[in-house]
Coordinates of all heavy atoms in Angstrom, one line a residue:
M204 N 13.2 -3.3 7.9 CA 13.7 -1.9 8.2 C 13.2 -1.0 7.1 O 13.2 -1.2 5.9 CB 15.3 -2.0 8.0 CG 16.0 -2.1 9.4 SD 17.7 -1.7 9.2 CE 18.3 -3.1 8.2
P205 N 12.8 0.2 7.6 CA 12.3 1.2 6.6 C 13.4 1.8 5.8 O 14.5 1.8 6.3 CB 11.6 2.2 7.6 CG 12.3 2.1 8.9 CD 12.7 0.6 9.0
I206 N 13.0 2.2 4.7 CA 14.0 3.0 3.8 C 13.6 4.4 3.8 O 12.4 4.8 3.6 CB 13.9 2.4 2.4 CG1 14.4 0.9 2.4 CG2 14.7 3.2 1.4 CD1 14.2 0.2 1.1
Y207 N 14.6 5.3 4.1 CA 14.4 6.7 4.1 C 15.0 7.3 2.9 O 16.0 6.8 2.3 CB 15.0 7.3 5.4 CG 14.3 6.8 6.6 CD1 14.9 6.0 7.5 CD2 13.0 7.2 6.9 CE1 14.3 5.5 8.7 CE2 12.4 6.8 8.1 CZ 13.0 5.9 8.9 OH 12.5 5.5 10.1
T208 N 14.4 8.3 2.5 CA 14.8 9.1 1.3 C 15.4 10.4 1.7 O 14.9 11.1 2.6 CB 13.7 9.3 0.3 OG1 13.1 8.1 0.0 CG2 14.2 10.0 -1.0
Y209 N 16.6 10.7 1.2 CA 17.2 12.0 1.5 C 17.6 12.7 0.2 O 17.6 12.2 -0.9 CB 18.6 11.7 2.2 CG 18.5 11.1 3.6 CD1 18.4 9.8 3.8 CD2 18.3 12.0 4.7 CE1 18.3 9.2 5.1 CE2 18.2 11.4 6.0 CZ 18.2 10.1 6.2 OH 18.0 9.6 7.4
K210 N 17.8 14.0 0.4 CA 18.1 14.9 -0.7 C 19.0 16.0 -0.2 O 18.7 16.5 1.0 CB 16.8 15.4 -1.2 CG 16.9 16.2 -2.5 CD 15.6 16.8 -3.0 CE 15.6 17.3 -4.4 NZ 16.6 18.4 -4.6
A211 N 19.9 16.5 -1.0 CA 20.7 17.7 -0.6 C 19.7 18.8 -0.2 O 18.8 19.1 -0.9 CB 21.6 18.1 -1.7
S212 N 20.0 19.5 0.9 CA 19.1 20.6 1.4 C 19.6 21.9 0.9 O 18.9 22.9 1.0 CB 18.9 20.5 2.9 OG 20.2 20.7 3.5
G213 N 20.9 22.0 0.6 CA 21.4 23.3 0.2 C 22.0 23.3 -1.2 O 21.7 22.3 -1.9
P214 N 22.7 24.4 -1.5 CA 23.3 24.4 -2.8 C 24.4 23.4 -3.0 O 24.8 23.1 -4.2 CB 23.8 25.9 -2.9 CG 24.0 26.3 -1.5 CD 22.9 25.5 -0.7
D215 N 25.0 23.0 -2.0 CA 26.2 22.1 -2.1 C 25.6 20.6 -2.3 O 24.7 20.2 -1.6 CB 27.1 22.0 -0.9 CG 27.7 23.4 -0.6 OD1 27.8 24.2 -1.6 OD2 28.0 23.7 0.5
H216 N 26.1 20.0 -3.3 CA 25.7 18.6 -3.5 C 26.7 17.9 -4.4 O 27.5 18.6 -5.1 CB 24.3 18.5 -4.1 CG 24.2 19.3 -5.3 ND1 24.6 18.8 -6.6 CD2 23.6 20.4 -5.6 CE1 24.3 19.6 -7.5 NE2 23.8 20.7 -7.0
C217 N 26.6 16.6 -4.5 CA 27.4 15.9 -5.5 C 26.4 15.1 -6.3 O 25.2 15.2 -6.1 CB 28.3 14.9 -4.8 SG 27.5 13.6 -3.8
R218 N 26.9 14.3 -7.2 CA 26.0 13.6 -8.1 C 25.1 12.6 -7.3 O 24.0 12.3 -7.7 CB 26.8 12.7 -9.1 CG 27.5 13.6 -10.1 CD 28.3 12.7 -11.1 NE 27.4 11.7 -11.6 CZ 27.6 11.3 -12.9 NH1 28.6 11.7 -13.6 NH2 26.8 10.3 -13.3
Y219 N 25.7 12.2 -6.1 CA 24.9 11.2 -5.3 C 23.7 11.9 -4.7 O 22.6 11.2 -4.6 CB 25.9 10.6 -4.3 CG 25.3 9.5 -3.4 CD1 25.0 8.3 -4.0 CD2 25.1 9.7 -2.0 CE1 24.4 7.3 -3.2 CE2 24.6 8.7 -1.3 CZ 24.3 7.5 -1.8 OH 23.8 6.6 -1.1
C220 N 23.9 13.0 -4.2 CA 22.8 13.6 -3.4 C 22.0 14.8 -4.1 O 21.1 15.3 -3.5 CB 23.3 14.2 -2.0 SG 24.5 15.5 -2.2
M221 N 22.4 15.1 -5.3 CA 21.7 16.1 -6.0 C 20.3 15.7 -6.3 O 19.4 16.5 -6.3 CB 22.4 16.5 -7.3 CG 22.4 15.4 -8.4 SD 23.4 15.9 -9.8 CE 22.3 17.2 -10.5
N222 N 20.1 14.4 -6.5 CA 18.7 13.9 -6.6 C 18.4 13.1 -5.3 O 19.3 13.1 -4.4 CB 18.6 13.0 -7.8 CG 18.7 13.9 -9.1 OD1 18.0 14.9 -9.2 ND2 19.5 13.5 -9.9
Y223 N 17.4 12.4 -5.2 CA 17.1 11.7 -4.1 C 17.9 10.4 -3.9 O 18.3 9.8 -5.0 CB 15.6 11.2 -4.1 CG 14.7 12.4 -4.1 CD1 14.1 12.8 -5.3 CD2 14.4 13.1 -3.0 CE1 13.2 13.8 -5.4 CE2 13.5 14.1 -3.0 CZ 12.9 14.5 -4.2 OH 12.0 15.5 -4.3
F224 N 18.4 10.1 -2.8 CA 19.0 8.8 -2.5 C 18.3 8.1 -1.3 O 17.7 8.8 -0.5 CB 20.5 8.9 -2.4 CG 20.9 9.7 -1.2 CD1 21.2 9.0 0.0 CD2 21.1 11.0 -1.2 CE1 21.7 9.7 1.1 CE2 21.6 11.7 -0.1 CZ 21.9 11.0 1.1
E225 N 18.4 6.9 -1.2 CA 17.7 6.1 -0.2 C 18.7 5.4 0.7 O 19.7 4.9 0.3 CB 16.8 5.1 -0.8 CG 15.6 5.7 -1.6 CD 14.7 4.7 -2.2 OE1 15.2 3.7 -2.5 OE2 13.5 5.1 -2.4
R226 N 18.4 5.4 2.0 CA 19.2 4.6 3.0 C 18.2 3.8 3.8 O 17.2 4.2 4.2 CB 19.8 5.6 3.9 CG 21.0 6.4 3.2 CD 22.1 5.4 2.8 NE 22.9 5.0 3.8 CZ 24.2 5.4 4.0 NH1 24.8 6.1 3.2 NH2 24.9 5.0 5.0
Q227 N 18.6 2.5 3.9 CA 17.8 1.7 4.8 C 18.3 1.8 6.2 O 19.5 1.7 6.5 CB 18.0 0.2 4.3 CG 16.9 -0.7 5.0 CD 16.9 -2.1 4.4 OE1 18.0 -2.7 4.2 NE2 15.8 -2.6 4.0
Q228 N 17.4 2.2 7.1 CA 17.9 2.5 8.5 C 16.9 1.9 9.5 O 15.7 1.7 9.2 CB 17.9 4.0 8.8 CG 19.0 4.7 7.9 CD 19.0 6.2 8.3 OE1 18.1 6.9 8.0 NE2 20.1 6.6 9.0
K229 N 17.4 1.6 10.6 CA 16.5 1.2 11.7 C 15.6 2.3 12.1 O 16.0 3.5 11.9 CB 17.3 0.7 12.9 CG 18.0 -0.6 12.7 CD 18.9 -1.0 13.9 CE 19.6 -2.2 13.6 NZ 20.8 -2.4 14.5
L230 N 14.5 2.0 12.6 CA 13.5 3.0 13.0 C 14.0 4.0 13.9 O 13.8 5.2 13.8 CB 12.3 2.3 13.6 CG 11.1 2.0 12.7 CD1 9.9 1.4 13.6 CD2 10.5 3.4 12.1
N231 N 14.8 3.6 14.9 CA 15.4 4.5 15.9 C 16.8 5.0 15.6 O 17.4 5.6 16.4 CB 15.3 3.9 17.3 CG 16.1 2.5 17.3 OD1 16.7 2.2 16.3 ND2 16.1 1.9 18.5
A232 N 17.2 4.7 14.4 CA 18.6 5.2 14.0 C 18.5 6.8 13.8 O 17.5 7.3 13.4 CB 19.0 4.6 12.7
A233 N 19.6 7.4 14.1 CA 19.7 8.8 13.8 C 19.6 9.1 12.3 O 20.2 8.4 11.5 CB 21.0 9.4 14.4
R234 N 18.9 10.1 12.0 CA 18.8 10.5 10.6 C 20.0 11.0 10.1 O 20.8 11.7 10.8 CB 17.6 11.4 10.4 CG 17.8 12.7 11.0 CD 16.6 13.7 10.6 NE 15.3 13.2 11.1 CZ 14.2 13.7 10.9 NH1 14.1 14.8 10.0 NH2 13.0 13.2 11.4
L235 N 20.3 10.8 8.8 CA 21.5 11.4 8.2 C 21.3 12.9 8.2 O 20.3 13.5 7.9 CB 21.6 10.9 6.8 CG 22.1 9.4 6.6 CD1 22.3 9.2 5.1 CD2 23.3 9.1 7.3
T236 N 22.5 13.6 8.4 CA 22.4 15.0 8.2 C 23.4 15.5 7.1 O 23.4 16.6 6.7 CB 22.8 15.8 9.5 OG1 24.1 15.3 10.0 CG2 21.8 15.6 10.6
Q237 N 24.3 14.5 6.7 CA 25.3 14.9 5.7 C 25.2 13.8 4.7 O 25.1 12.6 4.9 CB 26.7 14.9 6.3 CG 26.8 16.1 7.2 CD 28.2 16.2 7.7 OE1 28.8 15.2 8.2 NE2 28.8 17.4 7.6
C238 N 25.5 14.2 3.5 CA 25.7 13.2 2.4 C 26.9 12.3 2.7 O 28.0 12.8 3.0 CB 25.9 14.0 1.1 SG 26.4 12.9 -0.3
P239 N 26.7 11.0 2.6 CA 27.8 10.1 2.9 C 28.9 10.2 1.8 O 30.1 9.8 2.0 CB 27.2 8.7 2.9 CG 25.9 8.9 2.1 CD 25.5 10.3 2.3
E240 N 28.7 10.8 0.7 CA 29.7 10.9 -0.4 C 30.5 12.2 -0.3 O 31.7 12.3 -0.4 CB 29.0 10.8 -1.8 CG 28.3 9.5 -2.1 CD 29.4 8.4 -2.2 OE1 30.3 8.7 -2.9 OE2 29.2 7.3 -1.7
C241 N 29.8 13.3 -0.1 CA 30.4 14.6 -0.2 C 30.3 15.4 1.1 O 30.9 16.5 1.2 CB 29.9 15.4 -1.4 SG 28.2 16.0 -1.2
G242 N 29.5 15.0 2.0 CA 29.3 15.8 3.3 C 28.4 16.9 3.2 O 28.3 17.7 4.2
A243 N 27.8 17.2 2.2 CA 26.8 18.3 2.1 C 25.6 18.0 3.0 O 25.3 16.9 3.2 CB 26.3 18.5 0.6
P244 N 25.1 19.1 3.5 CA 23.9 18.9 4.3 C 22.7 18.2 3.5 O 22.5 18.7 2.4 CB 23.5 20.3 4.8 CG 24.2 21.2 3.9 CD 25.4 20.5 3.4
V245 N 22.1 17.3 4.2 CA 20.9 16.7 3.5 C 19.7 16.7 4.4 O 19.9 16.8 5.6 CB 21.2 15.2 3.1 CG1 22.3 15.1 2.0 CG2 21.6 14.4 4.3
R246 N 18.6 16.6 3.9 CA 17.3 16.5 4.7 C 16.6 15.2 4.2 O 16.7 14.8 3.1 CB 16.4 17.7 4.5 CG 15.9 17.9 3.1 CD 15.2 19.2 2.9 NE 15.0 19.5 1.5 CZ 13.9 19.1 0.9 NH1 13.0 18.4 1.5 NH2 13.7 19.4 -0.4
R247 N 15.9 14.7 5.3 CA 15.1 13.5 5.0 C 13.8 13.9 4.3 O 13.2 14.9 4.7 CB 14.8 12.8 6.3 CG 14.4 11.3 6.0 CD 14.6 10.5 7.2 NE 13.4 10.6 8.1 CZ 13.3 10.1 9.3 NH1 14.3 9.4 9.8 NH2 12.2 10.2 10.0
V248 N 13.4 13.2 3.3 CA 12.2 13.5 2.6 C 11.1 12.5 3.0 O 11.4 11.2 3.0 CB 12.5 13.4 1.1 CG1 11.2 13.8 0.3 CG2 13.6 14.3 0.7
I249 N 10.0 12.9 3.3 CA 8.9 12.0 3.6 C 8.3 11.5 2.3 O 7.9 12.2 1.4 CB 7.8 12.7 4.4 CG1 8.4 13.4 5.6 CG2 6.7 11.7 4.7 CD1 9.0 12.4 6.6
T250 N 8.3 10.1 2.2 CA 7.7 9.5 1.0 C 6.5 8.6 1.4 O 6.5 8.1 2.6 CB 8.7 8.7 0.3 OG1 9.3 7.7 1.2 CG2 9.8 9.5 -0.3
A251 N 5.6 8.5 0.6 CA 4.4 7.6 0.9 C 4.9 6.2 1.0 O 5.8 5.8 0.2 CB 3.4 7.7 -0.3
P252 N 4.4 5.5 1.9 CA 4.7 4.1 2.1 C 4.4 3.3 0.8 O 3.4 3.5 0.2 CB 4.0 3.6 3.3 CG 2.8 4.6 3.5 CD 3.3 5.9 2.9
T253 N 5.3 2.4 0.5 CA 5.0 1.5 -0.7 C 3.9 0.5 -0.3 O 4.1 -0.2 0.8 CB 6.3 0.9 -1.1 OG1 7.3 1.9 -1.2 CG2 6.1 0.2 -2.5
L254 N 3.0 0.3 -1.1 CA 2.0 -0.7 -0.9 C 2.5 -2.1 -1.4 O 2.3 -2.4 -2.5 CB 0.7 -0.4 -1.5 CG 0.0 0.8 -1.0 CD1 -1.2 1.2 -1.8 CD2 -0.3 0.7 0.5
A255 N 3.3 -2.7 -0.5 CA 4.0 -3.9 -1.0 C 3.0 -5.2 -0.9 O 3.2 -6.1 -1.7 CB 5.2 -4.2 -0.1
R256 N 2.0 -5.1 -0.1 CA 1.2 -6.2 0.1 C 0.2 -6.3 -1.1 O -0.4 -5.3 -1.5 CB 0.4 -6.1 1.4 CG 1.2 -6.7 2.6 CD 0.3 -6.7 3.8 NE -0.4 -5.4 4.0 CZ -1.4 -5.3 4.7 NH1 -2.1 -6.4 5.2 NH2 -2.0 -4.1 5.0
P257 N 0.0 -7.5 -1.6 CA -1.0 -7.6 -2.7 C -2.5 -7.4 -2.1 O -2.6 -7.5 -0.9 CB -0.9 -9.0 -3.2 CG -0.2 -9.7 -2.0 CD 0.6 -8.7 -1.3
A258 N -3.4 -7.0 -2.9 CA -4.7 -6.8 -2.5 C -5.2 -8.2 -1.9 O -4.9 -9.2 -2.4 CB -5.6 -6.4 -3.6
P259 N -6.1 -8.2 -0.9 CA -6.6 -9.4 -0.3 C -7.4 -10.1 -1.4 O -8.1 -9.5 -2.2 CB -7.5 -9.0 0.8 CG -7.7 -7.5 0.6 CD -6.6 -7.0 -0.2
S260 N -7.3 -11.4 -1.4 CA -8.0 -12.2 -2.4 C -9.5 -12.2 -2.1 O -9.9 -12.1 -0.9 CB -7.5 -13.6 -2.4 OG -8.1 -14.4 -1.5
L261 N -10.3 -12.3 -3.1 CA -11.7 -12.3 -3.0 C -12.3 -13.7 -3.0 O -13.2 -14.0 -3.7 CB -12.4 -11.5 -4.1 CG -12.3 -10.0 -3.8 CD1 -12.9 -9.2 -5.0 CD2 -12.9 -9.5 -2.5
S262 N -11.6 -14.6 -2.3 CA -12.1 -16.0 -2.2 C -13.4 -15.9 -1.4 O -13.7 -15.0 -0.7 CB -11.1 -16.9 -1.5 OG -11.1 -16.5 -0.1
E263 N -14.3 -16.9 -1.6 CA -15.6 -16.9 -0.9 C -15.3 -16.9 0.7 O -16.0 -16.2 1.3 CB -16.3 -18.2 -1.3 CG -16.9 -18.1 -2.7 CD -17.8 -19.2 -3.0 OE1 -18.1 -20.0 -2.2 OE2 -18.2 -19.2 -4.2
K264 N -14.3 -17.6 1.1 CA -14.1 -17.6 2.6 C -13.7 -16.2 3.0 O -14.3 -15.7 4.0 CB -12.9 -18.6 2.9 CG -12.7 -18.7 4.3 CD -11.6 -19.7 4.6 CE -11.3 -19.9 6.1 NZ -11.2 -18.6 6.9
N265 N -12.9 -15.6 2.3 CA -12.5 -14.2 2.6 C -13.7 -13.3 2.7 O -13.8 -12.5 3.6 CB -11.5 -13.7 1.5 CG -10.2 -13.2 2.2 OD1 -10.3 -12.6 3.3 ND2 -9.1 -13.4 1.5
I266 N -14.5 -13.4 1.7 CA -15.7 -12.5 1.7 C -16.6 -12.7 2.9 O -17.0 -11.8 3.6 CB -16.5 -12.7 0.4 CG1 -15.6 -12.2 -0.8 CG2 -17.8 -12.0 0.4 CD1 -16.2 -12.6 -2.1
G267 N -16.8 -14.0 3.2 CA -17.6 -14.4 4.4 C -17.0 -13.9 5.7 O -17.6 -13.3 6.6
D268 N -15.7 -14.1 5.8 CA -14.9 -13.7 7.0 C -15.0 -12.2 7.2 O -15.0 -11.7 8.4 CB -13.5 -14.1 6.9 CG -13.2 -15.6 7.1 OD1 -14.2 -16.2 7.5 OD2 -12.1 -16.0 6.8
K269 N -15.1 -11.4 6.2 CA -15.1 -10.0 6.3 C -16.5 -9.5 6.5 O -16.7 -8.3 6.6 CB -14.5 -9.3 5.0 CG -13.1 -9.7 4.8 CD -12.1 -8.9 5.5 CE -10.7 -9.2 5.1 NZ -10.0 -10.1 6.0
G270 N -17.5 -10.3 6.6 CA -18.9 -9.9 6.8 C -19.6 -9.5 5.5 O -20.7 -9.0 5.6
F271 N -19.1 -9.8 4.4 CA -19.8 -9.5 3.2 C -20.6 -10.7 2.7 O -20.3 -11.8 3.2 CB -18.8 -9.1 2.0 CG -18.1 -7.8 2.3 CD1 -16.7 -7.8 2.7 CD2 -18.7 -6.6 2.2 CE1 -16.1 -6.6 2.9 CE2 -18.1 -5.4 2.4 CZ -16.7 -5.4 2.8
T272 N -21.5 -10.4 1.9 CA -22.3 -11.5 1.3 C -22.1 -11.5 -0.2 O -22.0 -10.4 -0.8 CB -23.8 -11.3 1.6 OG1 -24.0 -11.2 3.0 CG2 -24.6 -12.4 1.1
Q273 N -21.9 -12.6 -0.7 CA -21.6 -12.7 -2.2 C -22.8 -13.5 -2.9 O -23.2 -14.5 -2.3 CB -20.3 -13.4 -2.5 CG -20.0 -13.4 -4.0 CD -18.7 -14.3 -4.2 OE1 -18.6 -15.4 -3.8 NE2 -17.7 -13.6 -4.9
Y274 N -23.2 -13.0 -4.0 CA -24.2 -13.7 -4.7 C -23.7 -14.1 -6.1 O -22.8 -13.5 -6.7 CB -25.5 -12.8 -4.9 CG -26.1 -12.5 -3.5 CD1 -25.8 -11.5 -2.8 CD2 -27.1 -13.3 -3.1 CE1 -26.3 -11.2 -1.6 CE2 -27.8 -13.1 -1.9 CZ -27.4 -12.0 -1.1 OH -28.0 -11.8 0.1
R275 N -24.3 -15.1 -6.7 CA -24.1 -15.4 -8.1 C -25.4 -15.3 -8.8 O -26.5 -15.7 -8.2 CB -23.4 -16.7 -8.3 CG -24.2 -17.9 -8.0 CD -23.6 -19.1 -8.7 NE -24.4 -20.3 -8.2 CZ -23.9 -21.3 -7.3 NH1 -22.6 -21.2 -7.0 NH2 -24.6 -22.2 -6.9
K276 N -25.3 -15.0 -10.1 CA -26.5 -14.8 -10.9 C -27.1 -16.1 -11.3 O -26.3 -16.9 -11.8 CB -26.2 -13.9 -12.0 CG -27.4 -13.5 -12.8 CD -27.0 -12.5 -13.9 CE -28.2 -11.9 -14.6 NZ -27.8 -10.9 -15.6
L277 N -28.3 -16.4 -11.0 CA -28.9 -17.7 -11.4 C -29.6 -17.5 -12.8 O -29.5 -18.3 -13.7 CB -30.0 -18.1 -10.4 CG -29.5 -18.7 -9.1 CD1 -30.7 -19.2 -8.3 CD2 -28.5 -19.9 -9.4
E278 N -30.4 -16.5 -12.8 CA -31.0 -16.1 -14.1 C -31.3 -14.6 -14.0 O -30.9 -14.0 -13.0 CB -32.3 -16.9 -14.2 CG -33.3 -16.7 -13.1 CD -34.5 -17.6 -13.2 OE1 -34.4 -18.8 -12.8 OE2 -35.6 -17.1 -13.6
K279 N -31.9 -14.1 -15.0 CA -32.1 -12.6 -15.1 C -32.9 -12.1 -13.8 O -34.0 -12.6 -13.6 CB -32.9 -12.2 -16.3 CG -32.9 -10.7 -16.6 CD -33.5 -10.4 -17.9 CE -33.5 -8.9 -18.2 NZ -33.9 -8.0 -17.2
G280 N -32.3 -11.3 -13.0 CA -32.9 -10.7 -11.9 C -33.0 -11.6 -10.7 O -33.6 -11.3 -9.6
V281 N -32.4 -12.8 -10.7 CA -32.4 -13.7 -9.6 C -31.0 -14.1 -9.2 O -30.2 -14.5 -10.0 CB -33.2 -15.0 -9.9 CG1 -33.2 -15.9 -8.6 CG2 -34.6 -14.7 -10.3
Y282 N -30.6 -13.8 -7.9 CA -29.3 -14.1 -7.4 C -29.3 -15.0 -6.2 O -30.1 -14.8 -5.3 CB -28.6 -12.7 -7.1 CG -28.5 -11.8 -8.3 CD1 -29.6 -10.9 -8.6 CD2 -27.4 -11.8 -9.0 CE1 -29.5 -10.1 -9.6 CE2 -27.3 -11.0 -10.1 CZ -28.3 -10.1 -10.4 OH -28.2 -9.3 -11.5
E283 N -28.4 -16.0 -6.3 CA -28.4 -16.9 -5.2 C -27.1 -16.6 -4.3 O -26.1 -16.4 -4.9 CB -28.3 -18.4 -5.7 CG -28.1 -19.5 -4.7 CD -27.7 -20.8 -5.2 OE1 -26.7 -20.8 -6.0 OE2 -28.4 -21.8 -4.9
K284 N -27.3 -16.7 -3.0 CA -26.2 -16.4 -2.1 C -25.2 -17.5 -2.2 O -25.5 -18.7 -2.2 CB -26.7 -16.3 -0.7 CG -25.6 -15.9 0.3 CD -26.2 -15.6 1.7 CE -26.5 -17.0 2.3 NZ -27.0 -16.8 3.7
T285 N -23.9 -17.2 -2.3 CA -22.8 -18.2 -2.2 C -22.2 -18.2 -0.9 O -21.7 -19.3 -0.4 CB -21.8 -17.9 -3.4 OG1 -21.3 -16.6 -3.2 CG2 -22.3 -18.1 -4.7
I286 N -22.1 -17.1 -0.2 CA -21.6 -17.0 1.1 C -22.0 -15.8 1.8 O -22.2 -14.8 1.1 CB -20.0 -17.2 1.1 CG1 -19.5 -17.5 2.5 CG2 -19.3 -15.9 0.5 CD1 -18.1 -18.1 2.5
G287 N -22.0 -15.8 3.1 CA -22.3 -14.6 3.8 C -23.6 -14.7 4.6 O -24.2 -15.8 4.7
K288 N -24.0 -13.6 5.2 CA -25.2 -13.6 6.2 C -26.4 -13.1 5.5 O -27.4 -12.9 6.2 CB -24.8 -12.8 7.4 CG -23.6 -13.4 8.2 CD -23.4 -12.6 9.5 CE -22.3 -13.2 10.3 NZ -21.0 -12.6 10.0
G289 N -26.4 -12.6 4.3 CA -27.5 -12.0 3.7 C -28.6 -13.0 3.4 O -28.5 -14.2 3.6
P290 N -29.8 -12.5 2.8 CA -30.8 -13.4 2.4 C -30.3 -14.5 1.3 O -29.4 -14.1 0.6 CB -31.9 -12.5 1.8 CG -31.2 -11.2 1.7 CD -30.1 -11.1 2.6
D291 N -30.9 -15.6 1.3 CA -30.5 -16.7 0.4 C -30.6 -16.4 -1.1 O -29.9 -16.8 -1.9 CB -31.2 -18.0 0.7 CG -30.6 -18.6 2.1 OD1 -29.6 -18.1 2.5 OD2 -31.4 -19.4 2.7
I292 N -31.8 -15.7 -1.4 CA -32.1 -15.4 -2.8 C -32.5 -13.9 -2.9 O -33.1 -13.4 -2.0 CB -33.3 -16.3 -3.2 CG1 -33.0 -17.8 -3.2 CG2 -33.8 -15.8 -4.6 CD1 -32.2 -18.2 -4.4
I293 N -32.0 -13.3 -3.9 CA -32.4 -11.9 -4.1 C -33.0 -11.9 -5.5 O -32.5 -12.5 -6.5 CB -31.1 -11.0 -4.1 CG1 -30.5 -10.8 -2.8 CG2 -31.6 -9.6 -4.7 CD1 -29.4 -9.9 -2.7
R294 N -34.2 -11.3 -5.6 CA -34.9 -11.1 -6.8 C -35.1 -9.7 -7.2 O -35.4 -8.9 -6.3 CB -36.3 -11.8 -6.7 CG -36.4 -13.2 -7.0 CD -37.7 -13.7 -6.8 NE -37.7 -15.1 -6.3 CZ -37.5 -16.1 -7.1 NH1 -37.4 -16.0 -8.4 NH2 -37.4 -17.4 -6.6
D295 N -34.8 -9.4 -8.4 CA -35.2 -8.0 -8.9 C -36.6 -8.1 -9.3 O -37.1 -9.0 -10.0 CB -34.3 -7.8 -10.2 CG -33.1 -7.0 -9.8 OD1 -33.0 -6.4 -8.7 OD2 -32.1 -6.9 -10.6
D296 N -37.4 -7.1 -8.8 CA -38.8 -7.1 -9.1 C -39.1 -6.3 -10.4 O -40.2 -6.0 -10.6 CB -39.6 -6.5 -7.9 CG -39.7 -7.5 -6.8 OD1 -39.7 -8.7 -7.1 OD2 -39.9 -7.1 -5.7
E297 N -38.1 -6.0 -11.2 CA -38.4 -5.2 -12.4 C -39.1 -6.0 -13.4 O -38.8 -7.1 -13.7 CB -37.0 -4.7 -13.0 CG -36.4 -3.6 -12.0 CD -35.2 -3.0 -12.7 OE1 -35.3 -2.3 -13.7 OE2 -34.1 -3.3 -12.3
Ligands
LIG240 ZN1 26.7 14.4 -1.9

């Protein structure tokens, strides 16, 4: 269930709604129009979604699955492919 943030929209407010407060509501639930504590008019505030998911792991399988190619350094200027569709060896011509 998403969490919505509300804030008093007018001059009337209580300690509860003078700053932001959050309510967990179903997506299709009617939005609050009044503070549940004091009845003052409130408005819903749009907040950025929280990035709760951790970043995808950079395992070799993951990299290959996403179509990337990963190399590991063999020696100076020479890289060997560990996974992916790219060339097997990359050489720096410097
Ligand atoms: Zn209030």
